[in-house]
Amino acid sequence: MLDQKRIEELIEISIEEAEKAIVRGDDPFGGVITDKEGNIIVRNGNRQNTEQNPSAHAEIVCIREACKKLQTNDLSGFISFCNAESCPMCASAMMMAGIRDFYFGTFMEDWYTPHVRMQTVADSMRSGIIVHGGILEEKTREVVDRGRGNL
């Protein structure tokens, strides 16, 4: 089990990736996938605008990179860290890839459509999914709000 200090460090790294996304002109989201000891496998940010690809959310980019790097489509035993709560597409994709442990910063905006929370997606899966939200909430919310304002 990761300690709180390492969890916050990994959320900070997801924030760094969100900041890079903002600079590129993408949505303000970043992600990290680690092994169970907290060693980083991949880190990246949203690339929807720069790749003209509506599915290029940070989590999807990280899944693709991790699978390619590890030469597998099974990410069981790996952990996801994001600066914000994942949308239903990303949450489903990560869970389908085998990820069962999720940490994120700020919660999904109330206006987001479809407004389906990660916990709701997790509850619909047939295996144990653990969702930890609200880590560094204030800092992650500021990055998302600022990044949304830049678009």
Side-chain angles (χ1 to χ4, degrees):
M1 178 110 181
L2 300 177
D3 65 20
Q4 189 64 28
K5 181 177 185 252
R6 182 62 179 153
I7 291 166
E8 289 180 5
E9 289 171 352
L10 291 162
I11 293 293
E12 290 279 0
I13 292 168
S14 74
I15 291 169
E16 291 172 13
E17 293 301 323
E19 295 283 6
K20 291 177 189 175
I22 293 168
V23 170
R24 281 193 306 272
D26 285 302
D27 287 331
F29 303 106
V32 179
I33 294 177
T34 73
D35 63 18
K36 62 185 176 186
E37 287 83 34
N39 300 305
I40 296 172
I41 305 302
V42 295
R43 56 186 281 178
N44 213 320
N46 185 290
R47 294 180 178 275
Q48 274 183 285
N49 297 332
T50 53
E51 292 184 4
Q52 291 92 40
N53 180 346
S55 70
H57 291 197
E59 298 92 331
I60 302 294
V61 172
C62 286
I63 290 168
R64 289 176 180 156
E65 288 182 1
C67 289
K68 187 173 183 175
K69 181 176 184 176
L70 300 170
Q71 297 186 352
T72 184
N73 64 358
D74 182 5
L75 298 179
S76 299
F78 292 88
I79 305 169
S80 172
F81 297 84
C82 297
N83 69 305
E85 183 175 11
S86 298
C87 75
M89 174 184 72
C90 292
S92 296
M94 289 186 294
M95 292 172 199
M96 295 300 290
I99 298 173
R100 299 287 180 261
D101 206 359
F102 301 90
Y103 294 85
F104 67 85
T106 193
F107 290 87
M108 181 183 297
E109 296 117 331
D110 289 336
W111 57 262
Y112 192 86
T113 302
H115 197 269
V116 179
R117 308 302 298 256
M118 277 192 83
Q119 191 60 59
T120 303
V121 177
D123 291 344
S124 72
M125 298 298 282
R126 297 181 195 267
S127 55
I129 307 287
I130 303 168
V131 178
H132 316 268
I135 301 161
L136 302 177
E137 167 73 27
E138 222 173 275
K139 186 171 188 176
T140 53
R141 171 55 53 200
E142 184 278 323
V143 171
V144 170
D145 288 348
R146 181 170 37 81
R148 291 274 197 211
N150 286 347
L151 293 175

